[in-house]
Amino acid sequence: MKSVLQSWGIFIGCCLAWEAATRAAASHYFPAPSTIVATAHELWFSGPPGQLFLTETALDNILPSLGRMSVGLLISVVVGVVLGFALGRSPTARAYLDPLLQLFRAIPPPTMVPVFIVLLQIGTQMQLATIVFATIWPIMMNTTDGFRSIEPLYLETSQVFRLSAAQRLRLVLIPSAMPKIFAGLRLSLSVALILMVFSELMPGTSNGIGYLLQDAYAVGDLPRMWSAIVLIGLLGYLLNMVLLAVQRRALAWQAGAQRLSAD
């Protein structure tokens, strides 16, 4: 509780300092936090209770952005875990594919946006392709490392107990690699949020948080632009907290095993 209070105390102190500095500067380009919060509430969170207080603007832009990010991340998890398992458990596959994968991994994802626009045109498919290309690498590489670094004793024990291939996968391989998979997923979550916004900044995009940000900048509505920036940061914080809660629940057995080994 003391740590939580200290953290929130620092946050509140920074917000108060920001408020005082912006009011003293009286700059059009840096509105006060109170102005940003009021603008965000009016734009997105002043809707009816039946819509969870979300306005039409929020429903038409925030939800599509989160939907695209979730679908792109889900595709990356499925493909990345499958490829990571194959690479982690097969030295032959790793030897043949690793140079090619390292080459594509080194390409900055924003440079692939023009390619995706040519292939898929501007729209949801292009945005999904951008998110998937950016987020699949942390998941796949961490999954590969997770399956490669499984304790040999676990595999020997599974052979002694004559576990089938499916049982070995479900009871030994996946649980052992799960910490590394979650580490890759946390990295990919932040990257997905960044690329979600970046893909929505492209001309021709019709909705999304990035579209709202670009539109506010184009018309010079600085409070609306800053409220979109703060919203992106808030979403990143909340999504990371949700993922941490899921990770703690999924890896609860690991904490118990560590306590037993310590005893």
Side-chain angles (χ1 to χ4, degrees):
M1 181 61 68
K2 182 179 179 181
S3 176
V4 171
L5 291 176
Q6 288 175 343
S7 299
W8 280 104
I10 293 173
F11 174 77
I12 293 172
C14 289
C15 289
L16 293 175
W18 182 9
E19 181 82 19
T22 51
R23 288 188 179 278
S27 173
H28 171 71
Y29 299 101
F30 299 99
S34 57
T35 303
I36 295 173
V37 171
T39 302
H41 176 266
E42 180 183 355
L43 281 174
W44 301 316
F45 306 114
S46 58
Q51 296 180 179
L52 300 178
F53 299 101
L54 295 175
T55 63
E56 293 299 326
T57 301
L59 294 174
D60 293 340
N61 293 277
I62 298 177
L63 295 186
S65 289
L66 292 178
R68 284 189 286 264
M69 189 186 74
S70 300
V71 172
L73 201 55
L74 179 61
I75 294 173
S76 294
V77 169
V78 173
V79 177
V81 170
V82 171
L83 289 178
F85 171 76
L87 294 172
R89 301 309 301 164
S90 174
T92 303
R94 191 164 58 249
Y96 279 108
L97 296 179
D98 188 67
L100 181 63
L101 295 176
Q102 294 296 340
L103 173 64
F104 279 104
R105 180 192 178 195
I107 299 175
T111 62
M112 292 297 296
V113 171
V115 177
F116 294 141
I117 292 176
V118 171
L119 296 176
L120 304 172
Q121 299 182 345
I122 293 179
T124 300
Q125 292 179 332
M126 179 274 293
Q127 293 163 342
L128 287 177
T130 303
I131 294 171
V132 170
F133 183 82
T135 57
I136 193 172
W137 307 114
I139 296 174
M140 184 177 66
M141 294 304 175
N142 277 272
T143 302
T144 301
D145 188 43
F147 282 111
R148 284 183 61 189
S149 59
I150 294 176
E151 189 68 35
L153 179 61
Y154 297 162
L155 300 177
E156 295 171 2
T157 303
S158 66
Q159 292 176 350
V160 169
F161 282 95
R162 300 181 183 276
L163 297 182
S164 65
Q167 289 175 324
R168 206 161 48 241
L169 177 65
R170 180 171 59 88
L171 300 176
V172 179
L173 297 180
I174 292 180
S176 299
M178 194 67 73
K180 291 292 183 69
I181 294 175
F182 269 105
L185 185 55
R186 287 189 64 190
L187 289 173
S188 293
L189 178 63
S190 59
V191 174
L193 186 64
I194 295 170
L195 268 296
M196 175 199 76
V197 176
F198 181 82
S199 65
E200 293 170 350
L201 294 174
M202 297 294 104
T205 304
S206 59
N207 61 20
I209 301 174
Y211 167 77
L212 291 177
L213 180 62
Q214 179 67 23
D215 182 67
Y217 169 77
V219 299
D221 190 344
L222 275 301
R224 186 156 65 99
M225 184 191 77
W226 276 100
S227 62
I229 294 173
V230 172
L231 176 65
I232 294 168
L234 181 61
L235 286 175
Y237 175 78
L238 293 176
L239 291 172
N240 184 64
M241 293 297 292
V242 171
L243 183 58
L244 281 175
V246 174
Q247 179 179 344
R248 283 193 293 267
R249 183 66 179 267
L251 300 180
W253 60 268
Q254 188 181 37
Q258 290 175 347
R259 287 195 296 268
L260 288 174
S261 61
D263 295 340

